[in-house]
């Protein structure tokens, strides 16, 4: 049982604070009341049983949308804010949420990322995403994730 392995290295755990997720096998413990979950959120990252990360993106989208609407409200052109302020706020409030993700959901993340950038720059929907990134001075999410991974590995 897992509790014997954990105890053998000098660690002890509380069953009230443990969640289990069955990928292929079940975990046996003397604590029979371990809660089984289909997904688990850990440090802002949602992990599911299939490791598809779809739940992570599903959880991130409302967060991104609410931050997008907040930025729209506080950077209203009638107020006379600096033209670069929306992109700066985007990078700090939205891009950070999207960067905490996985390569398997990059297409979905790209679509989520492009909507606010198009709005803030006033660029038409039929323009290319490469032009969009060039105009905003930002990088595509797949490049950011790749760079972030390389930074953590090296």
């Amino acid at each position: 049982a897992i509790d014997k392995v954990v105890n053998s290295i000098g660690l002890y755990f509380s069953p009230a604070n443990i969640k289990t997720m069955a990928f292929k096998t079940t975990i046996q413990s003397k604590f029979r009341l371990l809660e089984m979950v289909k997904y688990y959120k850990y440090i802002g990252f949602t992990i599911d049983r299939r490791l598809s990360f779809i739940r992570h993106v599903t959880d991130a989208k409302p967060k991104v949308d609410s931050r997008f609407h907040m930025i729209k409200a506080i950077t209203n052109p009638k107020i006379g804010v600096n033209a670069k302020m929306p992109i700066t706020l985007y990078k700090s409030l939205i891009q950070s949420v999207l960067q905490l993700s996985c390569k398997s959901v990059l297409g979905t993340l790209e679509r989520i990322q492009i909507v606010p950038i198009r709005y803030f720059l006033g660029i038409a929907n039929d323009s290319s995403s490469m032009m969009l990134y060039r105009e905003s001075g930002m990088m595509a999410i797949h490049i950011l994730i790749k760079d972030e991974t390389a930074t953590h590995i090296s």
Side-chain angles (χ1 to χ4, degrees):
I2 192 167
D3 49 310
K4 289 179 184 176
V5 175
V6 171
N7 292 345
S8 72
I9 60 172
L11 299 175
Y12 301 92
F13 57 85
S14 166
N17 296 329
I18 294 177
K19 307 288 186 243
T20 59
M21 188 180 307
F23 291 99
K24 288 189 177 183
T25 60
T26 57
I27 298 175
Q28 293 182 356
S29 172
K30 68 179 179 181
F31 306 110
R32 294 190 179 116
L33 300 175
L34 295 179
E35 181 183 354
M36 291 293 290
V37 294
K38 292 182 182 179
Y39 60 89
Y40 186 71
K41 192 166 196 168
Y42 182 72
I43 313 175
F45 196 78
T46 307
I47 303 167
D48 60 46
R49 291 174 22 180
R50 293 192 176 121
L51 299 176
S52 68
F53 303 100
I54 293 170
R55 178 67 187 224
H56 177 71
V57 173
T58 304
D59 290 349
K61 177 121 175 62
K63 193 182 297 186
V64 167
D65 288 344
S66 68
R67 292 175 184 198
F68 170 48
H69 293 300
M70 179 193 68
I71 294 170
K72 279 174 36 177
I74 64 175
T75 59
N76 187 330
K78 294 176 185 173
I79 299 172
V81 297
N82 180 333
K84 292 188 177 189
M85 183 184 250
I87 294 298
T88 303
L89 288 170
Y90 173 86
K91 286 178 181 179
S92 62
L93 297 174
I94 296 176
Q95 193 173 49
S96 59
V97 173
L98 297 176
Q99 271 184 271
L100 180 64
S101 200
C102 175
K103 291 182 180 179
S104 64
V105 291
L106 285 177
T108 306
L109 292 175
E110 289 289 342
R111 290 187 293 277
I112 293 171
Q113 179 179 2
I114 285 175
V115 171
I117 297 173
R118 283 187 196 283
Y119 176 83
F120 294 136
L121 295 178
I123 296 176
N125 287 338
D126 58 350
S127 57
S128 75
S129 57
M130 294 308 285
M131 195 241 354
L132 180 78
Y133 293 124
R134 189 172 48 249
E135 288 292 318
S136 67
M138 296 175 59
M139 290 188 273
I141 198 75
H142 70 276
I143 295 170
L144 290 169
I145 291 173
K146 185 174 161 184
D147 287 349
E148 191 74 23
T149 305
T151 302
H152 289 298
I153 292 173
S154 57

Coordinates of all heavy atoms in Angstrom, one line a residue, residues 45 53 98-104 106 109 139-154:
F45 N -2.9 24.9 -12.2 CA -2.9 24.0 -13.4 C -3.8 22.9 -13.1 O -3.6 22.1 -12.2 CB -1.4 23.5 -13.6 CG -1.2 23.0 -15.0 CD1 -1.0 23.8 -16.0 CD2 -1.2 21.6 -15.2 CE1 -0.8 23.3 -17.3 CE2 -1.0 21.1 -16.4 CZ -0.8 21.9 -17.5
F53 N -5.7 18.1 -20.8 CA -5.6 19.5 -20.4 C -6.7 20.3 -20.9 O -6.7 21.5 -20.9 CB -4.2 20.1 -20.8 CG -3.1 19.3 -20.1 CD1 -2.4 18.4 -20.9 CD2 -2.8 19.5 -18.8 CE1 -1.4 17.6 -20.3 CE2 -1.8 18.7 -18.2 CZ -1.0 17.8 -19.0
L98 N -2.5 32.2 -20.0 CA -2.4 31.4 -21.1 C -1.0 30.6 -21.2 O -0.9 29.5 -21.7 CB -2.6 32.1 -22.4 CG -3.9 32.8 -22.6 CD1 -4.0 33.6 -23.8 CD2 -5.0 31.7 -22.6
Q99 N 0.0 31.2 -20.6 CA 1.3 30.6 -20.7 C 1.4 29.4 -19.8 O 2.2 28.5 -20.1 CB 2.4 31.6 -20.2 CG 3.0 32.4 -21.4 CD 4.1 33.3 -20.9 OE1 3.9 34.4 -20.6 NE2 5.3 32.8 -21.0
L100 N 0.6 29.3 -18.7 CA 0.6 28.2 -17.9 C -0.3 27.1 -18.5 O -1.4 26.9 -18.1 CB 0.0 28.6 -16.5 CG 0.0 27.5 -15.4 CD1 1.4 27.0 -15.1 CD2 -0.7 27.9 -14.2
S101 N 0.3 26.4 -19.5 CA -0.5 25.5 -20.2 C 0.3 24.4 -20.8 O 1.5 24.3 -20.5 CB -1.4 26.1 -21.2 OG -2.5 25.3 -21.6
C102 N -0.3 23.7 -21.8 CA 0.4 22.5 -22.3 C 0.3 22.6 -23.8 O -0.6 23.1 -24.4 CB -0.3 21.3 -21.8 SG 0.2 19.7 -22.5
K103 N 1.3 22.0 -24.5 CA 1.3 22.0 -26.0 C 0.1 21.4 -26.6 O -0.2 21.7 -27.7 CB 2.6 21.3 -26.5 CG 3.9 22.1 -26.1 CD 5.1 21.4 -26.7 CE 6.3 22.2 -26.3 NZ 7.5 21.6 -26.8
S104 N -0.5 20.4 -26.0 CA -1.6 19.7 -26.6 C -2.9 20.6 -26.8 O -3.8 20.2 -27.6 CB -2.0 18.5 -25.7 OG -2.5 18.9 -24.5
L106 N -2.6 24.0 -27.7 CA -2.1 25.3 -28.2 C -3.0 26.0 -29.2 O -3.2 27.2 -29.2 CB -0.7 25.1 -28.9 CG 0.4 24.9 -27.9 CD1 1.7 24.7 -28.6 CD2 0.6 26.1 -27.0
L109 N -5.6 27.8 -27.3 CA -5.0 28.9 -26.6 C -4.8 30.1 -27.6 O -5.0 31.2 -27.2 CB -3.8 28.5 -25.9 CG -3.9 27.6 -24.7 CD1 -2.6 27.2 -24.2 CD2 -4.8 28.2 -23.6
M139 N 4.6 37.7 -28.9 CA 4.9 36.4 -29.6 C 3.7 35.5 -29.5 O 2.8 35.7 -28.6 CB 6.0 35.8 -28.9 CG 7.4 36.4 -29.1 SD 8.7 35.5 -28.5 CE 8.8 36.0 -26.8
A140 N 3.6 34.6 -30.4 CA 2.5 33.6 -30.4 C 2.7 32.8 -29.1 O 3.8 32.6 -28.6 CB 2.5 32.8 -31.6
I141 N 1.6 32.2 -28.6 CA 1.6 31.5 -27.4 C 2.5 30.2 -27.5 O 3.1 29.9 -26.5 CB 0.1 31.2 -26.9 CG1 0.1 30.8 -25.4 CG2 -0.5 30.1 -27.7 CD1 0.3 31.9 -24.5
H142 N 2.5 29.6 -28.6 CA 3.3 28.4 -28.7 C 4.8 28.7 -28.6 O 5.6 27.9 -28.1 CB 3.0 27.6 -30.0 CG 3.5 28.3 -31.3 ND1 2.7 29.2 -31.9 CD2 4.6 28.1 -32.0 CE1 3.4 29.7 -33.0 NE2 4.5 29.0 -33.1
I143 N 5.2 29.9 -29.0 CA 6.6 30.3 -28.9 C 6.9 30.7 -27.4 O 7.9 30.3 -26.9 CB 6.9 31.5 -29.8 CG1 6.8 31.1 -31.3 CG2 8.3 32.1 -29.5 CD1 6.8 32.3 -32.3
L144 N 6.0 31.3 -26.8 CA 6.1 31.7 -25.4 C 6.3 30.4 -24.5 O 7.1 30.3 -23.6 CB 5.0 32.5 -24.9 CG 4.9 33.9 -25.4 CD1 3.6 34.6 -25.1 CD2 6.1 34.7 -24.9
I145 N 5.4 29.4 -24.8 CA 5.5 28.2 -24.0 C 6.8 27.5 -24.3 O 7.4 26.9 -23.4 CB 4.2 27.3 -24.3 CG1 3.0 28.0 -23.7 CG2 4.4 25.9 -23.7 CD1 1.7 27.3 -24.0
K146 N 7.2 27.4 -25.5 CA 8.5 26.8 -25.9 C 9.6 27.5 -25.2 O 10.5 26.8 -24.6 CB 8.6 26.8 -27.4 CG 9.8 26.1 -27.9 CD 9.8 26.1 -29.4 CE 11.1 25.9 -30.1 NZ 11.0 26.0 -31.5
D147 N 9.6 28.8 -25.2 CA 10.7 29.6 -24.5 C 10.7 29.3 -23.0 O 11.7 29.2 -22.4 CB 10.6 31.1 -24.8 CG 10.9 31.4 -26.2 OD1 11.5 30.6 -26.9 OD2 10.7 32.6 -26.6
E148 N 9.5 29.3 -22.4 CA 9.4 29.1 -21.0 C 9.9 27.7 -20.6 O 10.6 27.5 -19.6 CB 7.9 29.2 -20.6 CG 7.6 29.3 -19.1 CD 8.0 30.6 -18.5 OE1 8.1 31.6 -19.2 OE2 8.3 30.6 -17.3
T149 N 9.6 26.7 -21.4 CA 10.0 25.3 -21.2 C 11.5 25.3 -21.3 O 12.2 24.7 -20.4 CB 9.4 24.3 -22.2 OG1 8.0 24.5 -22.1 CG2 9.8 22.9 -21.9
A150 N 12.1 25.9 -22.3 CA 13.6 25.9 -22.4 C 14.2 26.6 -21.3 O 15.3 26.2 -20.8 CB 13.9 26.6 -23.7
T151 N 13.7 27.6 -20.7 CA 14.2 28.4 -19.6 C 14.2 27.5 -18.4 O 15.2 27.5 -17.6 CB 13.4 29.6 -19.3 OG1 13.3 30.4 -20.5 CG2 14.0 30.4 -18.1
H152 N 13.2 26.7 -18.1 CA 13.1 25.9 -16.9 C 14.0 24.7 -17.1 O 14.5 24.2 -16.1 CB 11.7 25.4 -16.7 CG 10.8 26.5 -16.2 ND1 11.0 27.2 -15.0 CD2 9.7 27.1 -16.7 CE1 10.1 28.1 -14.9 NE2 9.3 28.1 -15.9
I153 N 14.2 24.2 -18.3 CA 15.1 23.0 -18.5 C 16.5 23.3 -18.3 O 17.3 22.6 -17.7 CB 14.8 22.3 -19.8 CG1 13.4 21.7 -19.8 CG2 15.8 21.3 -20.2 CD1 12.9 21.2 -21.1
S154 N 16.9 24.5 -18.9 CA 18.4 24.9 -18.8 C 18.8 25.4 -17.5 O 18.1 25.6 -16.6 CB 18.7 25.9 -19.9 OG 17.9 27.0 -19.8

